[in-house]
Amino acid sequence: MNETRSAASGPRSPADQSRHASTRERLLDAAERLFGEQGFAATSLRAVTVEADANVAAVNYHFGSKEGLLRAVVERTMAAVNGERLRLLEELRTSGHQPTVGELVRAFVLTGARLVERSGERGTDVARFLGRVMSERDPAIRRLFGAEVSPVEGRYLEALQAALPQLPPDEVGFRYRSMVGLLGLYQSGVLTDLHPGRAAVATTANTDAERLITLLTSAFHAPPTTDPVAPAEGAPEHC
Amino acid sequence: MNETRSAASGPRSPADQSRHASTRERLLDAAERLFGEQGFAATSLRAVTVEADANVAAVNYHFGSKEGLLRAVVERTMAAVNGERLRLLEELRTSGHQPTVGELVRAFVLTGARLVERSGERGTDVARFLGRVMSERDPAIRRLFGAEVSPVEGRYLEALQAALPQLPPDEVGFRYRSMVGLLGLYQSGVLTDLHPGRAAVATTANTDAERLITLLTSAFHAPPTTDPVAPAEGAPEHC
DNA sequence: GTCTATACGAAGATAGAC
DNA sequence: GTCTATCTTCGTATAGAC
């Protein structure tokens, strides 16, 4: 309860969840869960090492620093998400027709959800962790995340631009970044909570994912932004 | 460069920007700038006190804690934003007709921009600070921010619901929270940067604000979200 | 009342023993 | 390769100067 170690001498028995995984893997699992739960800055390295049943210095040995640990967790998780996104995009492109905006948005948003399903027990941890990292404002973390998603980003931007030929590339980029940011906020739980009135919470996740897809699809279909000075304002009103 | 103080004995000459403001005001100014630049967790209390030319303990005296300092900065800034938002909303409601979604979104989004203009020199600091706080994921900070905006939130939700009678309240709430979150990401610079190819940066701010208004207005006008199982997907496609 | 000097415990990082 | 011991920095708390 007190300090750096919980079981130093004897064979540790309580909550030995990831049985004989390596120290490295146990550190990654613990960091993913705690970073997702409490955030990066709020999670102490000592809390991670206690949960992973390892020493504080093991983090520095395996990952160099706390940020190195974060980078490793991001890489491990994003590898799966990136693969899934590219696979879905290929699937759409080889289906005979140009992918629509709605299809692209749906594929992008649901990738996170599918990853969560496949991750089983650790699913919600992964979702919260990804959401947090996705909309992080720390420049260092943003760079690290950006480097991880850039291969997929280019492909999606191409496909979105092809589906929205009337929009200037700058505007497609702006809306794409809005999608990434909003998905991050959604996955970190920012858009979900705060309405305590209702009872049904079980289906909220799926419903909100669909709401997000609806919202984003309509956002992409907005007309090109007009001049900053006194725009017509009624433009999207007609439909 | 080393420790808690930069000029202990003589009259401080370098960068004495807010000349004879009280220690309390100088602490608020410094915190607003540094929290906006680096984030709350990444900014050390000592960095704030060095910039404000005050002692570390002054923070605890005036604000009780680091979080108390954050609360004070939020309150000082949001008082202006809340007032402006309520004023604009009243202006719309007394203009004879029901405010449209576009008008409500525009009033909400541009409030931040106007505050920035009025703040003059400190404008960009204020914008970044507000943006960061708005989309913060730390529950404590979210609670504190939520308490600050709740009076305005209710009024805007009412007006939006009246403008979108075909949408269920839950969905209006979801889209409102999306607007708040996205505005936060935008104001903290998350949606703006990263495309280094272009040259014009001067007009980017205004342009992106208009893009955000366009995007959000269209997002609010999306049809109600259908059942999670295999939605038609073409719904917003027709317009 | 305001503010400064200073001390304390906790956290991240590092060096070197094993 | 792994862990113990130690260093620096952080937020907070206390005592007293003005």
Side-chain angles (χ1 to χ4, degrees):
Chain A
M1 197 241 221
N2 40 12
E3 271 287 322
T4 34
R5 221 161 340 113
S6 55
S9 46
R12 69 277 318 192
S13 41
D16 200 6
Q17 63 276 35
S18 40
R19 263 169 305 178
H20 294 294
S22 67
T23 299
R24 193 174 190 280
E25 292 298 321
R26 277 182 286 123
L27 283 172
L28 287 173
D29 288 346
E32 183 176 80
R33 194 178 79 78
L34 291 174
F35 287 168
E37 237 170 44
Q38 315 169 347
F40 177 67
T43 301
S44 81
L45 222 42
R46 284 168 172 83
V48 175
T49 53
V50 165
E51 166 136 344
D53 200 1
N55 189 275
V56 262
V59 172
N60 220 273
Y61 171 71
H62 283 292
F63 308 104
S65 69
K66 190 184 181 185
E67 186 181 318
L69 173 61
L70 174 65
R71 173 177 290 110
V73 182
V74 169
E75 280 168 2
R76 187 178 71 166
T77 309
M78 286 309 295
V81 176
N82 281 338
E84 176 90 351
R85 289 215 168 119
L86 284 179
R87 193 186 63 73
L88 283 174
L89 188 56
E90 260 340 280
E91 202 174 294
L92 284 175
R93 299 180 79 163
T94 57
S95 70
H97 68 288
Q98 279 262 23
T100 67
V101 172
E103 287 169 339
L104 291 168
V105 168
R106 171 169 295 275
F108 195 89
V109 170
L110 287 188
T111 308
R114 294 194 188 169
L115 175 76
V116 171
E117 291 171 17
R118 276 208 311 263
S119 298
E121 192 100 3
R122 277 183 25 243
T124 56
D125 302 336
V126 177
R128 271 185 301 201
F129 171 77
L130 263 192
R132 275 196 191 262
V133 175
M134 234 183 284
S135 57
E136 187 66 51
R137 291 154 317 297
D138 181 343
I141 299 180
R142 286 203 64 75
R143 268 195 301 275
L144 141 65
F145 180 72
E148 206 62 38
V149 297
S150 55
V152 186
E153 185 163 291
R155 310 287 291 271
Y156 261 87
L157 277 174
E158 278 176 33
L160 284 167
Q161 184 69 64
L164 295 163
Q166 77 280 12
L167 282 187
D170 276 8
E171 184 118 34
V172 174
F174 180 84
R175 294 178 188 179
Y176 172 81
R177 292 192 296 275
S178 300
M179 174 172 71
V180 174
L182 212 47
L183 179 57
L185 292 180
Y186 163 67
Q187 285 198 300
S188 60
V190 170
L191 303 182
T192 310
D193 45 2
L194 297 179
H195 63 139
R198 300 312 174 96
V201 190
T203 59
T204 297
N206 277 335
T207 303
D208 277 355
E210 289 298 326
R211 280 176 176 158
L212 187 59
I213 294 172
T214 305
L215 186 156
L216 286 171
T217 303
S218 181
F220 269 109
H221 279 109
T225 301
T226 57
D227 212 50
V229 288
E233 138 98 61
E237 212 86 27
H238 72 276
C239 65
Chain B
M1 193 235 231
N2 39 12
E3 271 287 322
T4 35
R5 223 165 336 114
S6 57
S9 49
R12 70 273 320 191
S13 39
D16 200 5
Q17 62 275 34
S18 41
R19 264 168 306 178
H20 294 294
S22 67
T23 298
R24 193 174 191 279
E25 291 298 320
R26 278 181 286 123
L27 282 172
L28 287 173
D29 288 346
E32 183 175 77
R33 195 177 79 77
L34 291 174
F35 287 167
E37 239 170 42
Q38 314 168 346
F40 177 68
T43 301
S44 80
L45 223 41
R46 284 167 174 84
V48 174
T49 54
V50 165
E51 167 136 343
D53 201 0
N55 189 275
V56 262
V59 172
N60 218 275
Y61 171 71
H62 284 290
F63 309 105
S65 68
K66 190 185 181 184
E67 187 181 318
L69 173 60
L70 174 65
R71 172 176 291 107
V73 182
V74 169
E75 280 168 4
R76 187 179 70 165
T77 309
M78 285 311 294
V81 176
N82 281 338
E84 176 90 351
R85 289 212 168 120
L86 285 179
R87 192 186 62 75
L88 282 175
L89 188 56
E90 257 344 276
E91 202 174 296
L92 284 176
R93 300 180 80 163
T94 55
S95 70
H97 68 288
Q98 278 262 21
T100 67
V101 172
E103 287 168 339
L104 291 169
V105 169
R106 170 170 297 275
F108 196 89
V109 170
L110 287 188
T111 307
R114 293 192 189 170
L115 174 75
V116 170
E117 291 169 17
R118 277 207 310 262
S119 300
E121 193 101 4
R122 276 182 27 242
T124 57
D125 302 337
V126 176
R128 272 186 299 202
F129 171 76
L130 264 191
R132 276 199 191 261
V133 175
M134 238 183 282
S135 57
E136 188 66 51
R137 289 155 318 297
D138 181 343
I141 299 181
R142 286 202 65 75
R143 266 194 304 275
L144 141 64
F145 180 72
E148 205 61 39
V149 297
S150 56
V152 185
E153 186 164 288
R155 310 289 289 273
Y156 262 86
L157 277 175
E158 280 176 32
L160 284 167
Q161 184 69 64
L164 295 165
Q166 77 280 13
L167 282 187
D170 276 6
E171 185 117 32
V172 174
F174 180 83
R175 293 179 189 179
Y176 172 80
R177 292 191 297 274
S178 299
M179 173 171 72
V180 173
L182 211 49
L183 179 57
L185 292 180
Y186 163 67
Q187 285 198 301
S188 59
V190 170
L191 303 182
T192 310
D193 46 1
L194 297 181
H195 64 139
R198 299 313 174 94
V201 190
T203 58
T204 297
N206 276 336
T207 304
D208 277 355
E210 289 299 326
R211 282 176 174 157
L212 189 58
I213 293 171
T214 305
L215 186 156
L216 287 170
T217 303
S218 182
F220 269 108
H221 279 108
T225 301
T226 58
D227 213 49
V229 288
E233 137 100 63
E237 211 87 28
H238 73 275
C239 65

